Amino acid sequence: MTSRLALAIQHLERAPEVLLCARSMREWQSVSLAYVGLSQPKLPLDVQMRNGDSFHLTEFYDIETLWQVYFHGAYEARAADRIIIDAGANIGLFTCWAARVAPEARVYSFEPAPSTFQRLQQHVRANGLSNRVTCFPVAVGGTREAVEILFEGQSSQRSRVAAAAGAGAGGVSVRPLFSQTARVEKVSLTSILDLVRRDAQRP
């Protein structure tokens, strides 16, 4: 209990974020207590934003990402934005938030991990954003090539893009650290910008 209290004191500067959380979502108490470390989150957790958006959170990292996007202001989007690219979209929390902040924007979301990509699509569909958000099951990098995505079950954070042989930096194999692999396409930022330009020119 003492350690939890000390942790909560360390998060006193989060008070404005907690107030924003309370104004923004129904399950604010469960999410806030879990985020500052005063309670263990009961997962999976379905959360409902007061703007109507909803998310299915399955691990603590989902709560942490939700907090960073919606309450900490870690990312920026403007109402006047017309094109938003989310490279490494994860389960779509920033994608959905940005689409609401910029209601006229088209959002292009890229996520290579198969199970995480499914959750991204589910959140986009569940929140009625399919007409403005396009999702791609690819990685983003410097060149266009086939690579492997190494991932761990349904975890949205435990994934890594590797060379086809599963090697990490310095040629050290990282394959044993992950239970699943999938071959995916990696596309360059230049090709993404070309895709966005072509899409923007469609009638």
Side-chain angles (χ1 to χ4, degrees):
M1 181 63 182
T2 302
S3 61
R4 288 187 177 182
L5 181 59
L7 186 60
I9 292 173
Q10 292 176 16
H11 283 284
L12 283 177
E13 70 274 12
R14 300 292 192 200
E17 297 173 17
V18 173
L19 291 175
L20 178 58
C21 179
R23 293 196 299 267
S24 303
M25 68 188 311
R26 296 177 184 175
E27 298 80 11
W28 70 272
Q29 290 177 311
S30 297
V31 170
S32 297
L33 290 174
Y35 181 75
V36 301
L38 287 178
S39 71
Q40 291 294 321
K42 295 180 180 179
L43 298 168
L45 176 64
D46 291 310
V47 299
Q48 183 78 40
M49 309 301 292
R50 298 192 193 279
N51 69 358
D53 285 349
S54 61
F55 301 106
H56 182 66
L57 311 180
T58 63
E59 56 186 323
F60 176 76
Y61 291 114
D62 295 341
I63 294 176
E64 190 173 55
T65 303
L66 178 81
W67 193 279
Q68 292 297 313
V69 171
Y70 278 84
F71 313 127
H72 184 60
Y75 304 98
E76 181 181 355
R78 297 167 297 182
D81 289 342
R82 291 296 179 266
I83 293 175
I84 296 171
I85 296 173
D86 190 0
N90 200 260
I91 64 172
L93 300 177
F94 171 78
T95 286
C96 294
W97 172 80
R100 295 303 185 199
V101 171
E104 301 300 321
R106 287 201 59 83
V107 184
Y108 302 86
S109 302
F110 300 83
E111 172 53 50
S115 56
T116 306
F117 180 76
Q118 290 177 359
R119 296 181 64 197
L120 164 65
Q121 288 184 305
Q122 290 166 359
H123 282 147
V124 168
R125 287 195 298 265
N127 292 309
L129 296 169
S130 297
N131 62 324
R132 292 198 293 119
V133 176
T134 306
C135 302
F136 300 88
V138 300
V140 178
T143 59
R144 184 166 192 154
E145 60 181 314
V147 295
E148 278 191 331
I149 182 76
L150 313 177
F151 60 104
E152 189 68 38
Q154 296 296 312
S155 174
S156 63
Q157 299 291 325
R158 286 273 296 153
S159 63
R160 179 171 179 174
V161 174
V172 178
S173 176
V174 295
R175 185 187 298 276
L177 302 177
F178 300 87
S179 65
Q180 296 171 274
T181 65
R183 201 169 181 85
V184 300
E185 182 182 6
K186 183 174 72 172
V187 298
S188 68
L189 183 58
T190 299
S191 64
I192 287 176
L193 295 177
D194 289 341
L195 180 153
V196 169
R197 278 194 290 266
R198 290 195 302 271
D199 190 68
Q201 291 170 358
R202 291 188 306 174

